[in-house]
Amino acid sequence: MEWNDLRIFLAVARAGSLGGAARALGQTQPTMGRHITRLEQAVGHKLFQCGSDGFVPTEEGAAALAHAERMEAEAIGFERLLAGHGERLDGLLRISSPDWIGIHLLAPIFVDFTRAHPLVTIDLVTDPLPFSLTRREADLVLRVRPVDEPEVVQRKLMHLDHALYIAAGTSHPQPMARAARW
């Protein structure tokens, strides 16, 4: 049994067809079929039933699918572990953030980062207009509010308390509760 056959098995199971798997992996439909046939011969079981609904895993195929997915997860973990070992970081890193986050929080961090990784150029954009990650306008975006792009992975970095201060005796033209709305 070869790992490449298992990759193709997973692609066919996910796509439901040889053509869909071929497009996903950048190969041809006949190549997909040959790999599935070879895998079925190696394990001694039919893994897919071909019908009007496309390629549907057989009982044996469904049982094998869970194992193949775990093998894939381990292979991806292996690649991630070794990716970058012995290599230096280089290239452009575009980061978008509100100006006060960029100036007061990120700039001091970037000084140490660029000393450790001198081949990385950081382009810090403190523009009030939100840059889009999905359109590749930035590599990393820090925002005060959640991003509403569904394919973007977002994490809450921190909670910042904030308040509005005014000098004693200073008159303010409107009530503070109304002035504090943004």
Side-chain angles (χ1 to χ4, degrees):
M1 179 178 353
E2 294 183 28
W3 167 242
N4 198 35
D5 294 341
L6 288 175
R7 282 184 50 244
I8 290 171
F9 167 70
L10 287 168
V12 171
R14 290 172 180 151
S17 69
L18 294 177
R23 283 187 296 279
L25 297 178
Q27 297 187 19
T28 65
Q29 188 171 338
T31 299
M32 301 290 106
R34 283 193 300 273
H35 281 276
I36 293 300
T37 300
R38 184 169 58 197
L39 180 61
E40 288 176 337
Q41 289 171 349
V43 297
H45 292 283
K46 190 97 171 121
L47 299 173
F48 291 102
Q49 185 69 37
C50 183
S52 61
D53 292 334
F55 276 66
V56 178
T58 61
E59 187 175 322
E60 292 84 5
L65 187 60
H67 292 284
E69 287 172 336
R70 285 195 301 272
M71 291 172 70
E72 177 187 48
E74 288 297 321
I76 290 169
F78 179 78
E79 289 174 353
R80 285 185 183 153
L81 174 70
L82 297 179
H85 278 266
E87 296 179 17
R88 296 179 65 167
L89 297 178
D90 66 64
L92 176 66
L93 179 62
R94 176 174 267 187
I95 300 173
S96 172
S97 77
D99 58 356
W100 60 273
I101 290 176
I103 293 166
H104 299 291
L105 296 177
L106 298 178
I109 294 169
F110 293 162
V111 170
D112 292 335
F113 182 85
T114 54
R115 280 189 192 128
H117 306 284
L119 299 176
V120 174
T121 303
I122 296 176
D123 182 12
L124 177 59
V125 181
T126 58
D127 194 314
L129 297 174
F131 277 60
S132 171
L133 290 168
T134 55
R135 290 191 307 267
R136 304 285 300 150
E137 295 173 343
D139 300 305
L140 177 68
V141 175
L142 286 92
R143 293 286 174 251
V144 176
R145 298 180 186 169
V147 178
D148 60 352
E149 296 177 79
E151 50 285 327
V152 170
V153 175
Q154 47 188 318
R155 301 283 186 264
K156 183 176 180 176
L157 181 62
M158 66 176 66
H159 175 81
L160 292 173
D161 290 322
H162 61 280
L164 183 60
Y165 296 93
I166 192 166
T170 305
S171 64
H172 197 274
Q174 50 188 320
M176 291 303 287
R178 187 169 179 186
R181 287 192 197 137
W182 306 21

